[in-house]
Amino acid sequence: MPILGDLSVEAFLRDYWQKKPLVIRQAWPNFQPLLAADELAGLSLESEIESRLVMEHGTAGPWEIRKGPFDESAFADLPESHWTLLVQAVDHWIPEAADLLEHFRFLPGWRVDDLMISYAVDGGSVGPHYDQYDVFLLQAEGQREWRIGQMCHEDSAILKGPMIRVLAAFEETERWVLNPGDMLYLPPQLAHYGIALGECQTYSIGFRAPSVAELAQSALDQVLSTSSEDQRYTDADYSAHEGSSGEISSAAKARLAKLLQAVLMQPDNLGDMLGKLMTEAKYPEHQSERLDDDDWELWRSQHQQLPDLRKSEHGRFAFQQTAAGLVFYAQGQASTLDIEDLELAQLLSSRHQYPRDMLANVPCSQQGYELLRRLWLQQLIYEVE
């Protein structure tokens, strides 16, 4: 189902993606929320699920934030207006929420972060703020007014005192009211301010945007795992005219740059950095325990061919083609595949569901079979009952 209205994917990417906001009226006609408000509140009672309550006028001052897990009494004491419940990564726990993300596959699947659900009563808001990543805001129930402001940066002034980051200055440029099925796209660093008009639910689909610091750490890990002691700084072209003995000359810096570029800028190494970093689990502590090898043998003996399978809601997959073949990434770990496993890698990394008739037609080498085995034992794929 297209979710960009009358806009083509090409036009969206050219004119809006990471450039400017876009309101898409009835991006999802007749949309029905996946969870009722009380079911969403029930998720916030669970210790493994990240949740927050935000109140504009709390007992601890303006824009008070409380972190879950909550108990039922926390909701009994709330005022009638001006509060919001945020439940993070609902797609990790609700298969239907994970399926919703399939509609955003016109963008790299390894960039998708999670689906957060915001439930708010009248006037509920988290204040004017900005995000460092792209986000689609799908109105699931009720109405929310969105006000759009200036582009921000790390030096943008933040209010002192509140327990959440609220912009000290908000320079409104536009505003829209979203109804169920409407969707708003926001590029990174654009100030925005959402206010509930009565009870409402908004689904936020966010995209991972690693910082330079995260990429640098991933690059360092890659260098440490692939470099040898023989790779060192050299200066066979050193000239007596480079400067005084204690000076780190421009030529020395150029040699260092060349050395680091030779190590870091190889396309396969860059792909490895992204593959491992972008498939790391959002909540590593919630990963399922590995099954025993005997479980796989028993399970396979019960199936003449693979049944309908599904990716775990916690699973993150990606792959890259290299000079040597294929590398598949799952939860930050790399697996080498044969080139004949290309269709398998494409299937596993581009969908949540793997029907048996589709799996039966996908070429699979022994390495591909071993990948399926590892994913099943790690409970990153499972049988659809």
Side-chain angles (χ1 to χ4, degrees), residues 218-240:
S218 182
L220 177 59
D221 293 341
Q222 183 69 15
V223 169
L224 293 175
S225 65
T226 59
S227 62
S228 72
E229 281 294 302
D230 291 336
Q231 291 175 287
R232 293 176 177 268
Y233 174 86
T234 61
D235 53 5
D237 60 341
Y238 179 77
S239 168

Side-chain angles (χ1 to χ4, degrees), residues 60-71:
W63 304 108
E64 177 186 352
I65 184 170
R66 303 176 187 174
K67 295 185 178 181
F70 302 105
D71 55 43

Side-chain angles (χ1 to χ4, degrees), residues 277-292:
L277 177 62
M278 299 301 279
T279 62
E280 286 180 349
K282 186 176 180 70
Y283 301 107
E285 66 276 18
H286 297 154
Q287 299 302 292
S288 300
E289 292 185 4
R290 188 183 188 279
L291 300 173
D292 293 330

Side-chain angles (χ1 to χ4, degrees), residues 259-318:
L259 173 63
L260 294 178
Q261 286 174 354
V263 174
L264 293 175
M265 300 307 289
Q266 298 178 29
D268 292 352
N269 280 351
L270 294 174
D272 220 40
M273 287 164 49
L274 279 176
K276 292 174 181 177
L277 177 62
M278 299 301 279
T279 62
E280 286 180 349
K282 186 176 180 70
Y283 301 107
E285 66 276 18
H286 297 154
Q287 299 302 292
S288 300
E289 292 185 4
R290 188 183 188 279
L291 300 173
D292 293 330
D293 290 352
D294 290 343
D295 292 327
W296 169 261
E297 300 303 331
L298 175 62
W299 183 74
R300 287 298 291 128
S301 69
Q302 296 170 347
H303 298 86
Q304 295 302 313
Q305 64 177 25
L306 290 173
D308 291 338
L309 295 175
R310 181 183 176 90
K311 180 168 71 172
S312 164
E313 283 65 47
H314 297 266
R316 295 183 183 274
F317 301 163

Side-chain angles (χ1 to χ4, degrees), residues 107-345:
L107 295 163
W110 47 267
R111 280 270 268 123
V112 175
D113 189 13
D114 72 348
L115 186 153
M116 181 187 75
I117 297 182
S118 163
Y119 169 78
V121 295
D122 189 46
S125 174
V126 298
H129 65 285
Y130 73 96
D131 299 311
Q132 297 281 14
Y133 50 82
D134 304 88
V135 64
F136 290 88
L137 300 164
L138 174 64
Q139 194 63 25
E141 186 176 38
Q143 293 182 313
R144 190 185 291 267
E145 179 182 87
W146 286 101
R147 303 175 184 179
I148 305 303
Q150 72 276 21
M151 296 301 293
C152 300
H153 48 78
E154 63 180 9
D155 294 326
S156 296
I158 302 298
L159 283 180
K160 295 181 179 179
M163 300 167 65
I164 59 176
R165 290 175 59 84
V166 177
L167 288 168
F170 180 71
E171 303 164 11
E172 182 179 336
T173 57
E174 292 183 89
R175 69 170 63 184
W176 304 281
V177 173
L178 265 60
N179 297 300
D182 292 344
M183 187 165 68
L184 171 63
Y185 163 72
L186 297 175
Q189 299 182 295
L190 180 65
H192 51 283
Y193 186 9
I195 304 171
L197 305 179
E199 292 185 50
C200 76
Q201 283 194 56
T202 303
Y203 290 9
S204 300
I205 297 93
F207 286 75
R208 282 188 167 189
S211 67
V212 169
E214 290 174 304
L215 291 169
Q217 181 62 59
S218 182
L220 177 59
D221 293 341
Q222 183 69 15
V223 169
L224 293 175
S225 65
T226 59
S227 62
S228 72
E229 281 294 302
D230 291 336
Q231 291 175 287
R232 293 176 177 268
Y233 174 86
T234 61
D235 53 5
D237 60 341
Y238 179 77
S239 168
H241 303 293
E242 284 191 21
S244 65
S245 176
E247 181 182 2
I248 298 175
S249 66
S250 297
K253 289 182 279 189
R255 293 187 197 100
L256 178 59
K258 185 177 180 179
L259 173 63
L260 294 178
Q261 286 174 354
V263 174
L264 293 175
M265 300 307 289
Q266 298 178 29
D268 292 352
N269 280 351
L270 294 174
D272 220 40
M273 287 164 49
L274 279 176
K276 292 174 181 177
L277 177 62
M278 299 301 279
T279 62
E280 286 180 349
K282 186 176 180 70
Y283 301 107
E285 66 276 18
H286 297 154
Q287 299 302 292
S288 300
E289 292 185 4
R290 188 183 188 279
L291 300 173
D292 293 330
D293 290 352
D294 290 343
D295 292 327
W296 169 261
E297 300 303 331
L298 175 62
W299 183 74
R300 287 298 291 128
S301 69
Q302 296 170 347
H303 298 86
Q304 295 302 313
Q305 64 177 25
L306 290 173
D308 291 338
L309 295 175
R310 181 183 176 90
K311 180 168 71 172
S312 164
E313 283 65 47
H314 297 266
R316 295 183 183 274
F317 301 163
F319 77 96
Q320 70 158 326
Q321 299 186 56
T322 70
L326 295 175
V327 183
F328 188 87
Y329 304 94
Q331 311 308 86
Q333 300 298 314
S335 298
T336 301
L337 297 179
D338 193 275
I339 192 63
E340 71 177 272
D341 296 312
L342 177 59
E343 288 185 47
L344 177 64

